[in-house]
Amino acid sequence: MTTNKRILLFFVLPIIAILLYPPETLLGGLPVIAVVIAFFIGVGVYLWRGRSLALTFAIFLQGMNVIIRLMMFFANSISKDGQFNATYAITCVLGLLLSLYLVLRLDQGDVRVQMVQ
């Protein structure tokens, strides 16, 4: 696995998958976003070093993100007025698909081989 793929799988995609919400939702919690980014960078560093517990934790977090987004999708995509919130629905589906991809990709053999090295 190339260095660019490792950076993408261990650092960039997990942060995007967790923080992929409409901008108006994220603006209220900028300090929390900084903490989340720092946390996922830390998990990525442990993944880079080959810690298998960090891999298990990363897969667990992405799986929880899939479950949470499924539960939130129907409740928040349509407002109480009956209006469809397209921005939220699109970002929710994209975040869900990206997290699902990461769950399946991080469990592949070539990623696990990187944990041994």
Coordinates of all heavy atoms in Angstrom, one line a residue, residues 11-110:
F11 N -6.1 8.9 7.8 CA -6.3 10.3 8.3 C -7.5 11.0 7.6 O -8.4 11.5 8.3 CB -5.0 11.1 8.1 CG -3.9 10.6 8.9 CD1 -2.9 9.8 8.3 CD2 -3.7 10.9 10.2 CE1 -1.8 9.3 9.0 CE2 -2.7 10.4 11.0 CZ -1.7 9.6 10.4
V12 N -7.4 11.2 6.3 CA -8.3 12.1 5.6 C -9.8 11.5 5.6 O -10.7 12.2 6.0 CB -7.8 12.3 4.2 CG1 -8.7 13.2 3.4 CG2 -6.4 12.9 4.2
L13 N -10.0 10.3 5.0 CA -11.3 9.8 4.9 C -12.1 9.6 6.2 O -13.3 10.0 6.3 CB -11.3 8.5 4.1 CG -10.9 8.7 2.6 CD1 -11.0 7.3 1.9 CD2 -11.8 9.6 1.9
P14 N -11.4 9.1 7.3 CA -12.2 9.0 8.5 C -12.7 10.4 9.1 O -13.8 10.5 9.6 CB -11.2 8.4 9.5 CG -10.3 7.6 8.6 CD -10.1 8.4 7.4
I15 N -11.8 11.4 8.9 CA -12.2 12.8 9.4 C -13.4 13.3 8.6 O -14.4 13.8 9.1 CB -11.0 13.7 9.4 CG1 -10.0 13.3 10.4 CG2 -11.5 15.2 9.6 CD1 -8.7 14.1 10.4
I16 N -13.3 13.1 7.3 CA -14.4 13.6 6.4 C -15.7 12.8 6.7 O -16.8 13.4 6.7 CB -14.0 13.5 4.9 CG1 -12.9 14.4 4.6 CG2 -15.2 13.7 4.0 CD1 -12.3 14.3 3.2
A17 N -15.6 11.5 6.9 CA -16.8 10.7 7.1 C -17.5 11.1 8.4 O -18.7 11.1 8.4 CB -16.4 9.2 7.2
I18 N -16.8 11.4 9.4 CA -17.4 11.8 10.7 C -18.0 13.2 10.6 O -19.0 13.5 11.1 CB -16.4 11.7 11.8 CG1 -16.0 10.2 12.0 CG2 -16.9 12.2 13.1 CD1 -17.0 9.3 12.5
L19 N -17.3 14.1 9.9 CA -17.7 15.5 9.9 C -18.5 15.9 8.7 O -18.6 17.1 8.5 CB -16.4 16.4 10.1 CG -15.7 16.3 11.4 CD1 -14.4 17.2 11.4 CD2 -16.6 16.7 12.5
L20 N -19.0 15.0 7.9 CA -19.7 15.4 6.7 C -21.2 15.7 7.1 O -22.0 14.8 7.1 CB -19.6 14.2 5.7 CG -20.1 14.6 4.3 CD1 -19.3 15.7 3.7 CD2 -20.0 13.4 3.4
Y21 N -21.4 16.9 7.5 CA -22.7 17.4 7.8 C -22.9 18.8 7.1 O -21.9 19.3 6.6 CB -22.9 17.6 9.3 CG -23.1 16.3 10.0 CD1 -22.0 15.7 10.7 CD2 -24.3 15.7 10.1 CE1 -22.2 14.5 11.4 CE2 -24.5 14.5 10.8 CZ -23.5 13.9 11.4 OH -23.7 12.8 12.1
P22 N -24.1 19.3 7.0 CA -24.3 20.6 6.3 C -23.5 21.7 7.1 O -23.3 21.6 8.3 CB -25.8 20.8 6.4 CG -26.4 19.5 6.6 CD -25.4 18.7 7.3
P23 N -23.0 22.7 6.4 CA -22.1 23.7 7.1 C -22.9 24.4 8.2 O -22.3 24.7 9.2 CB -21.8 24.7 5.9 CG -21.9 23.9 4.7 CD -23.0 22.8 5.0
E24 N -24.2 24.7 8.0 CA -24.9 25.4 9.1 C -25.0 24.5 10.4 O -25.1 25.1 11.5 CB -26.3 25.8 8.6 CG -27.2 24.6 8.2 CD -27.1 24.3 6.8 OE1 -26.3 24.8 6.0 OE2 -27.9 23.4 6.3
T25 N -24.9 23.2 10.2 CA -24.9 22.4 11.4 C -23.5 22.4 12.1 O -23.5 22.4 13.4 CB -25.2 20.9 11.0 OG1 -26.4 20.9 10.3 CG2 -25.3 20.0 12.2
L26 N -22.5 22.5 11.3 CA -21.1 22.5 11.9 C -20.7 23.8 12.5 O -19.8 23.8 13.4 CB -20.1 22.0 10.9 CG -20.3 20.6 10.4 CD1 -19.3 20.3 9.3 CD2 -20.1 19.6 11.5
L27 N -21.2 24.9 12.0 CA -20.7 26.2 12.5 C -20.9 26.5 14.0 O -20.2 27.2 14.6 CB -21.4 27.3 11.7 CG -21.0 27.5 10.2 CD1 -21.8 28.5 9.5 CD2 -19.5 27.8 10.1
G28 N -21.9 25.9 14.6 CA -22.2 26.1 16.0 C -21.2 25.3 16.9 O -21.1 25.6 18.1
G29 N -20.4 24.4 16.4 CA -19.5 23.6 17.2 C -18.1 23.6 16.7 O -17.5 22.5 16.7
L30 N -17.5 24.7 16.4 CA -16.2 24.8 15.8 C -15.1 24.2 16.8 O -14.2 23.5 16.4 CB -15.8 26.2 15.4 CG -16.5 26.6 14.1 CD1 -16.2 28.0 13.8 CD2 -16.2 25.7 13.0
P31 N -15.2 24.5 18.1 CA -14.2 24.0 19.1 C -14.3 22.4 19.1 O -13.3 21.7 19.2 CB -14.6 24.6 20.4 CG -15.3 25.8 20.1 CD -16.1 25.5 18.8
V32 N -15.5 21.9 19.0 CA -15.7 20.4 19.1 C -15.1 19.8 17.8 O -14.5 18.8 17.9 CB -17.2 20.1 19.2 CG1 -17.4 18.6 19.1 CG2 -17.7 20.6 20.5
I33 N -15.2 20.5 16.7 CA -14.7 20.0 15.4 C -13.2 19.9 15.5 O -12.6 18.9 15.1 CB -15.1 20.9 14.3 CG1 -16.6 20.8 14.0 CG2 -14.3 20.6 13.0 CD1 -17.2 21.8 13.1
A34 N -12.5 20.9 16.2 CA -11.1 20.9 16.4 C -10.7 19.7 17.2 O -9.7 19.0 16.9 CB -10.6 22.2 17.0
V35 N -11.4 19.4 18.2 CA -11.2 18.2 19.1 C -11.3 16.9 18.3 O -10.5 16.0 18.4 CB -12.1 18.3 20.4 CG1 -11.9 17.0 21.2 CG2 -11.7 19.5 21.2
V36 N -12.4 16.8 17.5 CA -12.6 15.6 16.7 C -11.5 15.4 15.7 O -11.0 14.3 15.6 CB -14.0 15.7 16.0 CG1 -14.2 14.6 15.0 CG2 -15.1 15.6 17.0
I37 N -11.1 16.5 15.1 CA -10.0 16.3 14.1 C -8.7 15.9 14.8 O -8.0 15.0 14.3 CB -9.8 17.7 13.4 CG1 -11.0 17.9 12.4 CG2 -8.5 17.7 12.6 CD1 -11.0 19.2 11.7
A38 N -8.4 16.5 16.0 CA -7.2 16.1 16.7 C -7.3 14.6 17.2 O -6.3 13.9 17.1 CB -7.0 17.0 17.9
F39 N -8.5 14.2 17.6 CA -8.7 12.8 18.0 C -8.4 11.8 16.9 O -7.7 10.8 17.0 CB -10.1 12.7 18.6 CG -10.4 11.3 19.0 CD1 -9.9 10.7 20.2 CD2 -11.2 10.5 18.2 CE1 -10.2 9.5 20.6 CE2 -11.5 9.2 18.6 CZ -11.0 8.7 19.8
F40 N -9.0 12.1 15.7 CA -8.8 11.2 14.6 C -7.4 11.3 14.0 O -7.0 10.3 13.5 CB -9.9 11.5 13.5 CG -11.2 10.8 13.8 CD1 -12.2 11.4 14.4 CD2 -11.3 9.5 13.4 CE1 -13.4 10.8 14.7 CE2 -12.5 8.8 13.7 CZ -13.5 9.4 14.3
I41 N -6.7 12.4 14.2 CA -5.3 12.4 13.8 C -4.5 11.5 14.7 O -3.6 10.7 14.3 CB -4.8 13.8 13.8 CG1 -5.3 14.6 12.6 CG2 -3.2 13.8 13.8 CD1 -5.0 16.1 12.6
G42 N -4.9 11.5 16.0 CA -4.2 10.6 17.0 C -4.5 9.1 16.7 O -3.6 8.3 16.7
V43 N -5.7 8.8 16.3 CA -6.1 7.4 15.9 C -5.3 7.0 14.7 O -4.8 5.9 14.5 CB -7.6 7.2 15.7 CG1 -7.9 5.9 15.1 CG2 -8.3 7.4 17.0
G44 N -5.2 8.0 13.7 CA -4.4 7.7 12.5 C -3.0 7.5 12.8 O -2.3 6.6 12.1
V45 N -2.4 8.2 13.7 CA -1.0 8.0 14.1 C -0.8 6.6 14.6 O 0.2 5.9 14.3 CB -0.5 9.0 15.1 CG1 0.8 8.7 15.7 CG2 -0.4 10.4 14.4
Y46 N -1.7 6.1 15.5 CA -1.6 4.8 16.0 C -1.8 3.7 14.9 O -1.2 2.7 14.9 CB -2.6 4.6 17.1 CG -2.1 5.1 18.5 CD1 -2.7 6.2 19.0 CD2 -1.0 4.6 19.1 CE1 -2.3 6.7 20.2 CE2 -0.5 5.1 20.3 CZ -1.2 6.2 20.9 OH -0.7 6.7 22.0
L47 N -2.7 4.0 14.0 CA -2.8 3.1 12.8 C -1.6 3.0 12.0 O -1.1 2.0 11.6 CB -4.0 3.6 11.9 CG -5.4 3.3 12.4 CD1 -6.4 4.0 11.6 CD2 -5.7 1.8 12.5
W48 N -1.0 4.2 11.8 CA 0.3 4.3 11.0 C 1.4 3.4 11.7 O 2.2 2.8 11.0 CB 0.7 5.7 10.9 CG 1.8 5.9 9.8 CD1 3.1 5.8 10.0 CD2 1.6 6.3 8.5 NE1 3.8 6.0 8.8 CE2 2.8 6.4 7.9 CE3 0.4 6.6 7.7 CZ2 3.0 6.8 6.6 CZ3 0.6 7.0 6.4 CH2 1.9 7.1 5.8
R49 N 1.4 3.5 13.0 CA 2.4 2.7 13.8 C 2.1 1.2 13.8 O 3.0 0.5 14.3 CB 2.5 3.3 15.2 CG 3.1 4.6 15.2 CD 3.2 5.1 16.6 NE 3.8 6.4 16.7 CZ 3.8 7.2 17.8 NH1 3.3 6.7 18.9 NH2 4.3 8.4 17.8
G50 N 0.9 0.8 13.4 CA 0.7 -0.6 13.3 C 0.0 -1.2 14.5 O 0.0 -2.4 14.7
R51 N -0.7 -0.4 15.3 CA -1.4 -0.9 16.4 C -2.8 -1.5 16.0 O -3.6 -0.8 15.5 CB -1.7 0.3 17.4 CG -0.5 1.1 17.8 CD 0.4 0.2 18.7 NE 1.7 0.8 18.9 CZ 2.1 1.4 20.0 NH1 1.2 1.4 21.0 NH2 3.3 1.9 20.1
S52 N -2.9 -2.8 16.2 CA -4.1 -3.5 15.8 C -5.3 -3.0 16.6 O -6.5 -3.0 16.1 CB -3.9 -5.0 15.9 OG -3.7 -5.3 17.3
L53 N -5.1 -2.6 17.9 CA -6.2 -2.1 18.7 C -6.8 -0.8 18.1 O -8.0 -0.6 18.1 CB -5.8 -1.9 20.1 CG -6.9 -1.5 21.1 CD1 -7.9 -2.6 21.2 CD2 -6.3 -1.3 22.5
A54 N -5.9 0.0 17.5 CA -6.4 1.3 16.9 C -7.2 0.9 15.6 O -8.2 1.6 15.3 CB -5.2 2.1 16.5
L55 N -6.8 -0.1 14.9 CA -7.6 -0.5 13.7 C -9.0 -1.0 14.2 O -10.0 -0.6 13.5 CB -6.9 -1.7 13.0 CG -7.6 -2.2 11.8 CD1 -7.7 -1.1 10.7 CD2 -6.8 -3.4 11.2
T56 N -9.1 -1.8 15.2 CA -10.3 -2.3 15.7 C -11.2 -1.1 16.1 O -12.4 -1.0 15.9 CB -10.2 -3.2 16.9 OG1 -9.3 -4.3 16.4 CG2 -11.5 -3.7 17.4
F57 N -10.6 -0.1 16.8 CA -11.3 1.1 17.3 C -11.8 1.9 16.1 O -12.9 2.4 16.1 CB -10.4 1.9 18.2 CG -11.1 3.0 18.9 CD1 -12.2 2.8 19.7 CD2 -10.6 4.3 18.7 CE1 -12.8 3.9 20.3 CE2 -11.3 5.4 19.3 CZ -12.3 5.2 20.1
A58 N -11.0 2.1 15.1 CA -11.3 2.9 13.9 C -12.5 2.2 13.2 O -13.5 2.9 12.8 CB -10.2 3.0 13.0
I59 N -12.5 0.9 13.0 CA -13.6 0.2 12.4 C -14.9 0.3 13.2 O -15.9 0.6 12.7 CB -13.2 -1.3 12.2 CG1 -12.1 -1.4 11.1 CG2 -14.4 -2.1 11.8 CD1 -11.5 -2.8 11.0
F60 N -14.7 0.2 14.6 CA -15.9 0.4 15.4 C -16.5 1.8 15.3 O -17.7 2.0 15.2 CB -15.4 0.2 16.9 CG -16.5 0.5 17.9 CD1 -17.6 -0.3 18.1 CD2 -16.4 1.7 18.6 CE1 -18.6 0.0 19.0 CE2 -17.4 2.0 19.6 CZ -18.5 1.2 19.8
L61 N -15.6 2.8 15.3 CA -16.1 4.2 15.2 C -16.9 4.4 13.9 O -17.9 5.1 13.8 CB -15.0 5.2 15.3 CG -14.4 5.4 16.7 CD1 -13.3 6.3 16.7 CD2 -15.5 5.9 17.7
Q62 N -16.3 3.9 12.8 CA -17.0 4.1 11.5 C -18.3 3.3 11.4 O -19.3 3.8 10.8 CB -16.0 3.7 10.4 CG -14.8 4.6 10.2 CD -15.2 6.1 10.0 OE1 -16.2 6.4 9.3 NE2 -14.3 6.9 10.5
G63 N -18.3 2.2 12.0 CA -19.5 1.4 12.1 C -20.6 2.1 12.9 O -21.8 2.1 12.5
M64 N -20.2 2.7 14.0 CA -21.2 3.5 14.8 C -21.7 4.7 14.0 O -22.9 5.0 14.1 CB -20.5 3.9 16.1 CG -20.4 2.8 17.1 SD -21.9 2.0 17.6 CE -22.8 3.4 18.4
N65 N -20.8 5.3 13.2 CA -21.2 6.4 12.4 C -22.3 6.0 11.4 O -23.3 6.7 11.2 CB -20.0 7.0 11.7 CG -20.4 8.4 11.1 OD1 -21.1 9.1 11.6 ND2 -19.7 8.6 10.0
V66 N -22.1 4.8 10.8 CA -23.1 4.3 9.9 C -24.5 4.1 10.6 O -25.5 4.5 10.1 CB -22.7 2.9 9.3 CG1 -23.8 2.3 8.5 CG2 -21.5 3.1 8.4
I67 N -24.5 3.5 11.8 CA -25.7 3.3 12.5 C -26.4 4.6 12.9 O -27.6 4.8 12.8 CB -25.4 2.4 13.8 CG1 -25.0 1.0 13.3 CG2 -26.6 2.3 14.7 CD1 -24.4 0.1 14.4
I68 N -25.6 5.5 13.4 CA -26.1 6.8 13.8 C -26.7 7.6 12.7 O -27.8 8.2 12.8 CB -25.0 7.6 14.6 CG1 -24.7 7.0 15.9 CG2 -25.4 9.1 14.7 CD1 -23.5 7.5 16.6
R69 N -26.0 7.6 11.5 CA -26.6 8.3 10.4 C -27.8 7.6 9.9 O -28.7 8.3 9.4 CB -25.5 8.4 9.3 CG -24.4 9.4 9.6 CD -23.5 9.5 8.5 NE -22.4 10.4 8.8 CZ -22.4 11.7 8.5 NH1 -23.4 12.3 7.9 NH2 -21.3 12.5 8.8
L70 N -27.9 6.3 9.9 CA -29.2 5.7 9.5 C -30.3 6.1 10.4 O -31.4 6.3 10.0 CB -29.0 4.1 9.6 CG -28.4 3.5 8.4 CD1 -28.2 2.0 8.7 CD2 -29.3 3.6 7.2
M71 N -30.1 6.2 11.7 CA -31.1 6.5 12.7 C -31.5 8.0 12.5 O -32.7 8.4 12.7 CB -30.7 6.3 14.1 CG -30.5 4.8 14.4 SD -30.1 4.4 16.1 CE -29.4 5.8 16.8
M72 N -30.6 8.9 12.2 CA -30.8 10.3 12.1 C -31.4 10.7 10.7 O -32.0 11.7 10.6 CB -29.5 11.1 12.3 CG -29.1 11.0 13.7 SD -27.5 11.9 14.0 CE -27.8 13.5 13.3
F73 N -31.2 9.9 9.7 CA -31.6 10.2 8.3 C -33.1 10.6 8.2 O -33.5 11.6 7.8 CB -31.2 9.1 7.3 CG -31.6 9.5 5.9 CD1 -30.9 10.4 5.2 CD2 -32.7 8.8 5.4 CE1 -31.2 10.7 3.9 CE2 -33.1 9.1 4.1 CZ -32.3 10.1 3.3
F74 N -33.9 9.6 8.6 CA -35.4 9.8 8.4 C -35.9 10.9 9.4 O -36.9 11.6 9.0 CB -36.1 8.5 8.6 CG -35.7 7.5 7.6 CD1 -34.9 6.4 7.9 CD2 -36.1 7.7 6.3 CE1 -34.5 5.5 6.9 CE2 -35.8 6.8 5.3 CZ -35.0 5.7 5.6
A75 N -35.3 11.0 10.5 CA -35.8 12.0 11.5 C -35.5 13.4 11.1 O -36.3 14.3 11.4 CB -35.3 11.7 12.9
N76 N -34.4 13.6 10.4 CA -33.9 15.0 10.1 C -34.0 15.4 8.6 O -33.8 16.5 8.3 CB -32.5 15.2 10.6 CG -32.4 15.1 12.1 OD1 -33.3 15.6 12.8 ND2 -31.4 14.5 12.6
S77 N -34.3 14.4 7.7 CA -34.4 14.8 6.3 C -35.6 15.5 6.0 O -35.7 16.3 5.0 CB -34.3 13.5 5.5 OG -33.0 13.0 5.6
I78 N -36.7 15.3 6.7 CA -37.9 16.0 6.5 C -38.3 16.7 7.8 O -38.3 16.2 8.9 CB -39.1 15.0 6.2 CG1 -38.7 14.3 4.9 CG2 -40.4 15.7 6.1 CD1 -39.6 13.2 4.4
S79 N -38.5 18.0 7.7 CA -38.8 18.9 8.8 C -40.2 18.6 9.3 O -41.0 17.9 8.7 CB -38.6 20.3 8.5 OG -39.6 20.8 7.6
K80 N -40.5 19.3 10.4 CA -41.9 19.1 11.0 C -42.9 19.8 10.1 O -44.1 19.4 10.2 CB -41.9 19.8 12.4 CG -41.1 19.0 13.4 CD -41.1 19.6 14.7 CE -40.4 18.7 15.7 NZ -39.3 19.2 16.4
D81 N -42.5 20.7 9.2 CA -43.4 21.3 8.3 C -43.7 20.5 7.0 O -44.5 20.8 6.2 CB -42.9 22.7 7.8 CG -42.6 23.6 9.0 OD1 -43.1 23.4 10.1 OD2 -41.8 24.5 8.8
G82 N -42.9 19.4 6.9 CA -43.1 18.6 5.7 C -42.1 18.9 4.6 O -42.2 18.4 3.5
Q83 N -41.2 19.8 4.9 CA -40.2 20.2 3.9 C -39.0 19.3 3.9 O -38.5 18.9 4.9 CB -39.7 21.7 4.2 CG -40.7 22.7 4.2 CD -41.3 22.9 2.8 OE1 -40.6 22.8 1.8 NE2 -42.5 23.3 2.7
F84 N -38.6 18.9 2.7 CA -37.4 18.0 2.5 C -36.1 18.8 2.6 O -36.0 19.8 1.9 CB -37.5 17.3 1.1 CG -36.4 16.4 0.9 CD1 -36.3 15.2 1.6 CD2 -35.4 16.7 -0.1 CE1 -35.2 14.3 1.3 CE2 -34.4 15.8 -0.4 CZ -34.3 14.6 0.4
N85 N -35.3 18.4 3.5 CA -34.0 19.1 3.7 C -32.9 18.4 2.8 O -32.3 17.4 3.3 CB -33.6 19.0 5.2 CG -32.4 19.9 5.5 OD1 -31.7 20.4 4.6 ND2 -32.1 20.0 6.8
A86 N -32.8 18.8 1.6 CA -31.9 18.1 0.6 C -30.4 18.2 1.0 O -29.7 17.2 0.9 CB -32.1 18.8 -0.8
T87 N -30.0 19.3 1.6 CA -28.6 19.4 2.0 C -28.3 18.4 3.1 O -27.2 17.7 3.0 CB -28.3 20.8 2.5 OG1 -28.8 21.8 1.6 CG2 -26.8 21.0 2.8
Y88 N -29.1 18.3 4.0 CA -28.9 17.3 5.1 C -28.9 15.9 4.6 O -28.1 15.0 4.9 CB -29.9 17.4 6.2 CG -29.6 16.4 7.3 CD1 -28.7 16.7 8.3 CD2 -30.3 15.2 7.4 CE1 -28.4 15.7 9.3 CE2 -30.1 14.3 8.3 CZ -29.1 14.6 9.3 OH -28.8 13.6 10.3
A89 N -29.9 15.6 3.7 CA -30.1 14.2 3.2 C -28.9 13.8 2.4 O -28.4 12.7 2.5 CB -31.4 14.1 2.4
I90 N -28.4 14.7 1.5 CA -27.2 14.4 0.7 C -26.0 14.2 1.5 O -25.2 13.2 1.3 CB -27.0 15.5 -0.4 CG1 -28.2 15.5 -1.4 CG2 -25.7 15.3 -1.1 CD1 -28.2 16.6 -2.3
T91 N -25.7 15.1 2.4 CA -24.5 14.9 3.3 C -24.6 13.7 4.2 O -23.6 13.0 4.4 CB -24.2 16.2 4.1 OG1 -25.4 16.5 4.9 CG2 -23.9 17.4 3.2
C92 N -25.8 13.4 4.6 CA -26.0 12.2 5.5 C -25.7 10.9 4.7 O -25.0 10.1 5.2 CB -27.4 12.2 6.1 SG -27.6 10.9 7.3
V93 N -26.2 10.9 3.5 CA -26.0 9.7 2.7 C -24.6 9.5 2.3 O -24.0 8.5 2.3 CB -26.9 9.7 1.4 CG1 -26.5 8.6 0.4 CG2 -28.4 9.5 1.9
L94 N -23.9 10.7 1.9 CA -22.5 10.6 1.6 C -21.6 10.2 2.7 O -20.7 9.4 2.6 CB -22.0 12.0 1.0 CG -22.6 12.3 -0.4 CD1 -22.1 13.8 -0.7 CD2 -22.1 11.3 -1.4
G95 N -21.9 10.7 3.9 CA -21.2 10.3 5.1 C -21.4 8.9 5.5 O -20.5 8.2 5.9
L96 N -22.6 8.4 5.3 CA -23.0 7.0 5.6 C -22.2 6.1 4.6 O -21.6 5.1 5.0 CB -24.5 6.8 5.4 CG -25.0 5.5 5.8 CD1 -26.4 5.6 6.5 CD2 -25.1 4.5 4.6
L97 N -22.2 6.4 3.3 CA -21.5 5.6 2.3 C -20.0 5.6 2.6 O -19.4 4.6 2.4 CB -21.9 6.1 0.9 CG -23.3 5.8 0.5 CD1 -23.6 6.4 -0.9 CD2 -23.6 4.3 0.5
L98 N -19.5 6.8 2.9 CA -18.0 6.8 3.1 C -17.6 6.0 4.4 O -16.6 5.3 4.4 CB -17.6 8.3 3.3 CG -16.1 8.6 3.4 CD1 -15.3 8.0 2.3 CD2 -15.9 10.1 3.5
S99 N -18.4 6.1 5.4 CA -18.1 5.3 6.6 C -18.3 3.8 6.3 O -17.5 3.0 6.8 CB -19.1 5.7 7.8 OG -18.7 6.9 8.3
L100 N -19.3 3.4 5.6 CA -19.5 2.0 5.2 C -18.3 1.5 4.4 O -17.8 0.4 4.6 CB -20.8 1.9 4.5 CG -21.2 0.4 4.1 CD1 -21.4 -0.4 5.4 CD2 -22.5 0.4 3.3
Y101 N -17.8 2.4 3.4 CA -16.7 2.0 2.7 C -15.5 1.8 3.6 O -14.7 0.8 3.4 CB -16.4 3.1 1.6 CG -15.0 2.9 1.0 CD1 -14.8 1.9 0.0 CD2 -14.0 3.7 1.3 CE1 -13.5 1.8 -0.5 CE2 -12.7 3.6 0.8 CZ -12.5 2.6 -0.2 OH -11.2 2.4 -0.7
L102 N -15.3 2.7 4.5 CA -14.1 2.6 5.4 C -14.2 1.3 6.3 O -13.2 0.7 6.6 CB -14.0 3.8 6.3 CG -13.4 5.0 5.6 CD1 -13.6 6.3 6.5 CD2 -12.0 4.8 5.2
V103 N -15.4 1.0 6.8 CA -15.6 -0.2 7.6 C -15.1 -1.4 6.8 O -14.4 -2.3 7.2 CB -17.0 -0.4 8.1 CG1 -17.3 -1.8 8.6 CG2 -17.4 0.6 9.1
L104 N -15.6 -1.5 5.5 CA -15.3 -2.6 4.7 C -13.8 -2.6 4.2 O -13.1 -3.7 4.2 CB -16.2 -2.7 3.5 CG -17.7 -2.9 3.8 CD1 -18.5 -2.7 2.5 CD2 -17.9 -4.2 4.5
R105 N -13.3 -1.4 4.0 CA -11.9 -1.3 3.5 C -10.9 -1.6 4.6 O -9.8 -2.2 4.3 CB -11.7 0.1 2.8 CG -10.3 0.3 2.2 CD -10.1 -0.6 1.0 NE -8.8 -0.4 0.5 CZ -7.8 -1.2 0.6 NH1 -7.9 -2.2 1.4 NH2 -6.6 -0.9 0.1
L106 N -11.1 -1.0 5.7 CA -10.1 -1.2 6.8 C -10.1 -2.7 7.3 O -9.1 -3.0 7.9 CB -10.5 -0.3 8.0 CG -10.3 1.2 7.8 CD1 -10.8 2.0 9.0 CD2 -8.8 1.5 7.5
D107 N -11.1 -3.4 7.0 CA -11.1 -4.8 7.4 C -10.4 -5.8 6.3 O -10.4 -7.0 6.5 CB -12.5 -5.3 7.7 CG -12.5 -6.5 8.6 OD1 -11.6 -6.7 9.4 OD2 -13.5 -7.3 8.4
Q108 N -9.9 -5.2 5.3 CA -9.3 -6.0 4.2 C -7.9 -6.5 4.6 O -7.3 -5.9 5.5 CB -9.1 -5.2 2.9 CG -10.4 -4.8 2.3 CD -11.2 -6.0 1.8 OE1 -10.6 -6.9 1.2 NE2 -12.5 -6.0 2.0
G109 N -7.4 -7.5 4.0 CA -6.1 -8.1 4.3 C -4.9 -7.2 4.1 O -4.0 -7.3 5.0
D110 N -4.9 -6.4 3.1 CA -3.7 -5.6 2.9 C -3.6 -4.5 3.9 O -2.5 -4.1 4.3 CB -3.8 -4.9 1.5 CG -5.0 -4.0 1.3 OD1 -6.0 -4.2 1.9 OD2 -4.8 -3.0 0.5

